Amino acid sequence: MAALKYSRQRESIKEFLAARTDHPTADTVYTNLRKTFPNISLGTVYRNLSLLSDMGEIIKISTGDGADRFDGRTAPHNHFVCRQCHRVIDLNMENIDSIMDVAGKNFAGSIDHYVVNFYGVCGDCITKS
Amino acid sequence: MAALKYSRQRESIKEFLAARTDHPTADTVYTNLRKTFPNISLGTVYRNLSLLSDMGEIIKISTGDGADRFDGRTAPHNHFVCRQCHRVIDLNMENIDSIMDVAGKNFAGSIDHYVVNFYGVCGDCITKS
DNA sequence: TTCGTTGCAAATGTTTTGCACCTGA
DNA sequence: TCAGGTGCAAAACATTTGCAACGAA
C-alpha cells in the first residue's frame, strides 16, 4: 500500500485535464505539460495518468480508435466519438444506468460497471460537408 | 473498390471464429491457424480480420483491456468483460437500442451506432473465490 | 495476364519498465 | 532519512506496411 506523495507533475496533469472539455491523449498531455515542465517525460505522464485513473480522479477512455484518452470530468457521463474528425464529445443525456439491470437479468456474474460509446458524425462535421 | 478474391486463409479465419463463442485475439487466431497453415503470418491474420470486420462478417471488440478481440457472431449483442479472468462473454439480453434515442436528444450530431461493454466478475470467478 | 493475397521483416504507434538520481514528508 | 517520484532510455506490445513472390479469376 504505497503512501501517495505530493508531486507537482501529478498535480499539474490533474489541473490540465480539469481545465479542458476535449479528451486529450497521453501525448497531448505530455506536449502541453512540457511548457511548464520542460523535462517531464512521457513515462511520468503515463505513470500519473494511470495512478489518477486508478484513484478515480480522472477517467480513461478507450475508443478503439487510436490512443486512449483522458477525461478530468469524473461525474458519470457518456461519450460520443466522431468517425470523421475523431473528436470525443461529452454527452449530456438522461441516466441510463438501468441497462445494467437489463444486462444482469440472464447473467450469472455480477455487473458493477459499464461503458457506452456512441458513434456517428458530429454537428461540426455535418455542417462542413 | 477492390474486387475481393477468394483466399483459403481468409475463409479459414472466418470459419475459426464462427466455431467459437469465446472472443479470440488476433494472436490466438494466428496460433490456431498455424495448425492448418504452418506458414501463415500474423500480418495476413490482421489483414483478413480487418477486411472481414469492414465487410461486417465479423465484429471487432475493443475492451480497453489488452489486445482487440474478434467475434464471429454478427447478430447484434453486447459483451461482458470479467475483470478477474479477462474473459469476454456474450450477453443474452433485451434490446437496448433505445439508448441511442436518449443520447441523441440534446445532441447536434447524428448517432448511428453504439458499443456497450459491461464489467464485473463472471460467474465462474465468483464460484472459485 | 492481371491484380488481389501472402509471407516475411521492418516499421509504427502506444504504453510499460528498469534504473540511478531527485524530492517530499 | 527514506519511500515514493522523476527523467531517460530501452523494452514490450499490438498493429500496420513495403515488397517480391504467389495464386485466383
Side-chain angles (χ1 to χ4, degrees):
Chain A
M1 295 293 153
L4 223 36
K5 205 178 281 187
Y6 171 87
S7 110
R8 265 176 300 159
Q9 287 88 334
R10 181 176 329 136
E11 209 49 35
S12 242
I13 290 173
K14 206 169 119 184
E15 275 169 27
F16 177 75
L17 285 178
R20 335 212 343 169
T21 58
D22 65 340
H23 305 76
T25 60
D27 198 70
T28 303
V29 174
Y30 169 65
T31 303
N32 279 275
L33 276 232
R34 284 190 82 138
K35 294 170 190 161
T36 316
F37 302 92
N39 293 317
I40 198 172
S41 75
L42 244 189
T44 296
V45 171
Y46 271 106
R47 268 185 293 242
N48 281 312
L49 286 172
S50 178
L51 267 174
L52 289 168
S53 151
D54 286 349
M55 295 188 295
E57 304 200 5
I58 64 173
I59 289 171
K60 178 178 169 178
I61 311 169
S62 299
T63 63
D65 166 42
D68 287 343
R69 290 155 169 283
F70 297 88
D71 192 341
R73 180 178 164 199
T74 56
H77 64 286
N78 306 303
H79 296 108
F80 170 87
V81 182
C82 178
R83 246 198 298 278
Q84 211 148 333
C85 67
H86 302 260
R87 251 190 303 177
V88 174
I89 300 172
D90 285 337
L91 287 175
N92 206 331
M93 60 185 279
E94 228 174 272
N95 183 297
I96 55 168
D97 287 358
S98 59
I99 63 172
M100 284 204 283
D101 300 331
V102 178
K105 262 185 196 163
N106 302 303
F107 184 65
S110 87
I111 299 175
D112 56 46
H113 185 61
Y114 71 94
V115 174
V116 199
N117 288 320
F118 295 90
Y119 297 85
V121 181
C122 74
D124 282 11
C125 283
I126 292 178
T127 304
K128 281 172 195 154
S129 64
Chain B
M1 293 293 154
L4 223 36
K5 208 175 280 188
Y6 171 86
S7 111
R8 265 177 300 159
Q9 286 89 334
R10 179 157 55 237
E11 209 49 35
S12 241
I13 290 174
K14 207 169 119 184
E15 275 169 28
F16 176 75
L17 285 177
R20 334 208 351 165
T21 60
D22 64 339
H23 305 75
T25 61
D27 197 71
T28 303
V29 174
Y30 169 66
T31 304
N32 279 274
L33 277 232
R34 283 191 82 136
K35 293 170 190 161
T36 316
F37 302 91
N39 293 316
I40 198 172
S41 75
L42 243 189
T44 296
V45 171
Y46 271 107
R47 267 186 292 240
N48 281 310
L49 286 173
S50 180
L51 267 175
L52 289 168
S53 153
D54 286 349
M55 295 189 295
E57 303 200 6
I58 65 172
I59 289 170
K60 177 176 169 179
I61 311 169
S62 299
T63 63
D65 166 43
D68 286 345
R69 288 152 170 283
F70 297 87
D71 192 342
R73 180 178 164 199
T74 56
H77 64 285
N78 305 305
H79 296 108
F80 170 87
V81 182
C82 179
R83 244 198 299 278
Q84 211 150 332
C85 67
H86 302 262
R87 251 190 302 178
V88 174
I89 300 171
D90 285 337
L91 287 175
N92 205 331
M93 60 186 279
E94 227 174 274
N95 183 297
I96 55 167
D97 287 358
S98 60
I99 63 172
M100 283 204 283
D101 301 331
V102 179
K105 263 185 197 164
N106 302 302
F107 184 64
S110 87
I111 299 175
D112 57 46
H113 184 60
Y114 71 94
V115 173
V116 200
N117 288 320
F118 295 90
Y119 297 84
V121 182
C122 74
D124 282 12
C125 284
I126 292 177
T127 305
K128 281 172 195 156
S129 64

